[in-house]
Amino acid sequence: MDIGVLTVPLGGQSLDDALAYLHGIGVDAVELGCGGHPGDTHLPREEYLDDDEAQNHLFNLLDEYELRISALATHNNPLHPDDEKAERADTELREAIELADQLDVNAVTTFSGLPAGSPNDETPNWVTAPWPGEHAEAHRYQWEEVAIPYWQDLAEHAADHGVNVAIEMHPNMLVYEPSGMLRLREETNERIGANFDPSHLYWQGIDVTDAIRFLGEHDAIHHFHAKDTKVYDANARYKGVLDTVPYDEEANRSWLFRSVGYGHGEDHWKDVVSTLRMVGYDGALSIEHEDSLTSSNEGLEKAVAMLQRAVFRDQPGEAYWTE
C-alpha cells in the first residue's frame, strides 16, 4: 500500500513545491483536485485535458519526486435541483474521468450528489427517516427517478474510459453509508464503488472494519481516504451526533475531523490496514487533512509518520507454517 495525500491543504504552494514537500516527508502518491469543492489549484482540468505538453510536464514532475497519482478529485452535486449547478458538476465529473484516462489514473473521487425531495423542490433534501410518509416517497423519488438514471449513464461513461468512480459516503449526500453505496453499485456497473472515507462513518456509529469487509466482499472499494474522527461524548451525550454547529466552534461540537491517530489509536489503524489487505485493497491511503486543531503541515506529518508504521510495503509471503 502507498501513503498518499489529497493536496488541497497545500493549495497555497505551487504544484512543484507541494510535490517536493510531500516527497520529503515520505509520501508515495498524491490525489489532485481538478474541480468542485476540492478546487483545481494543482490540476486545472482545462489546462491539462487533451494537452500533451502540459501532461508531459506533470509526468516529469511526478517522476522527479518519485510520486504517482492515486486519483483525481472533483466533489460536487450532479443531482442538484438547480440545473445550472447540476450541469456544472456533471461537466466537472465527466471531464475528470476523461483526464484520468489520459493520465493513466484509474480512479476519480467524488460524491453521489443529492437531489431535491420532489420535482418541485429547489433545495437538496437529505432524508434520514421513512416517516412521516412523504419522506419515504421523497427518498424513493431521489433514488428511482433521479439518481439511478443519472448514475447508470455516468457509469457507462466511466466504463468507456476505463476509469473507476470512487464515491465518498458523506452526510448530506444520497449515498452516506455502505448499504447505499452497494445499492448504487448494483444499479450501475463495477466502475462505481467507494472512496472509503472512515471519518464520516465513525460518528454514525458504523464499525469501520466491518464496513470494509462488507464492501470488500463485493470488490467495491476503489480508493481510500485516511482521515479520522473523534466523537466528544461530553457533547454527544446530550445532543447526539447530528451536529449543525460550525466546524470551527470545536468545543461545542459532538465530533470533529481529526488527523489520523487523534480520533482512534495506532492499534485501530493497523487493524484498518490489515482488514483492507484481507479484502484485497492494495492502493493508496490518501490522507485528507481537515483537522482544525492543528496546522496542515503538522497534521499531515503526524499522519504520515503513523501510517508508515501501519502500512505493509511487501506482498505476503508463503504461509509455510500451514504445510
Side-chain angles (χ1 to χ4, degrees), residues 83-299:
D83 288 342
E84 184 176 338
K85 292 179 180 179
E87 288 171 8
R88 182 168 62 249
D90 177 62
T91 297
E92 291 167 350
L93 181 52
R94 289 177 185 272
E95 290 184 353
I97 290 169
E98 294 162 13
L99 181 56
D101 183 9
Q102 294 176 11
L103 296 175
D104 198 26
V105 174
N106 67 6
V108 169
T109 59
T110 193
F111 292 143
S112 66
L114 182 67
S118 79
N120 300 318
D121 288 352
E122 297 181 354
T123 303
N125 188 337
W126 189 34
V127 178
T128 59
W131 188 90
E134 58 261 34
H135 296 281
E137 176 56 28
H139 198 241
R140 184 207 63 79
Y141 162 79
Q142 290 177 320
W143 273 98
E144 297 180 10
E145 297 187 37
V146 183
I148 291 173
Y150 173 81
W151 279 103
Q152 286 176 337
D153 184 66
L154 195 284
E156 290 302 317
H157 182 69
D160 289 343
H161 288 276
V163 173
N164 292 329
V165 178
I167 292 173
E168 184 173 337
M169 297 170 283
H170 197 287
N172 285 320
M173 294 291 160
L174 188 62
V175 171
Y176 59 92
E177 46 74 36
S179 67
M181 181 69 258
L182 188 59
R183 179 183 179 183
L184 189 62
R185 180 178 172 84
E186 291 174 341
E187 294 283 0
T188 54
N189 64 31
E190 64 185 9
R191 290 295 175 180
I192 304 301
N195 176 30
F196 196 106
D197 186 327
S199 68
H200 310 295
L201 307 185
Y202 289 128
W203 66 262
Q204 293 182 65
I206 293 171
D207 186 288
V208 164
T209 54
D210 286 352
I212 290 171
R213 288 176 181 271
F214 174 75
L215 290 175
E217 288 175 359
H218 301 275
D219 296 322
I221 300 176
H222 290 331
H223 195 256
F224 187 91
H225 268 178
K227 182 179 170 190
D228 214 337
T229 292
K230 175 68 175 178
V231 175
Y232 292 95
D233 291 332
N235 291 328
R237 275 194 295 266
Y238 75 88
K239 67 173 182 174
V241 293
L242 294 174
D243 198 337
T244 57
V245 172
Y247 285 110
D248 60 358
E249 294 181 20
E250 294 91 350
N252 298 319
R253 283 189 54 80
S254 295
W255 56 268
L256 290 174
F257 296 131
R258 298 305 316 273
S259 301
V260 174
Y262 282 81
H264 297 78
E266 187 167 325
D267 285 349
H268 170 79
W269 279 95
K270 288 179 176 177
D271 196 15
V272 168
V273 167
S274 298
T275 308
L276 286 168
R277 170 157 281 195
M278 287 179 191
V279 302
Y281 181 81
D282 62 358
L285 308 180
S286 185
I287 298 165
E288 183 182 20
H289 174 82
E290 291 183 348
D291 187 340
S292 60
L293 296 180
T294 183
S295 70
S296 295
N297 284 27
E298 185 174 18

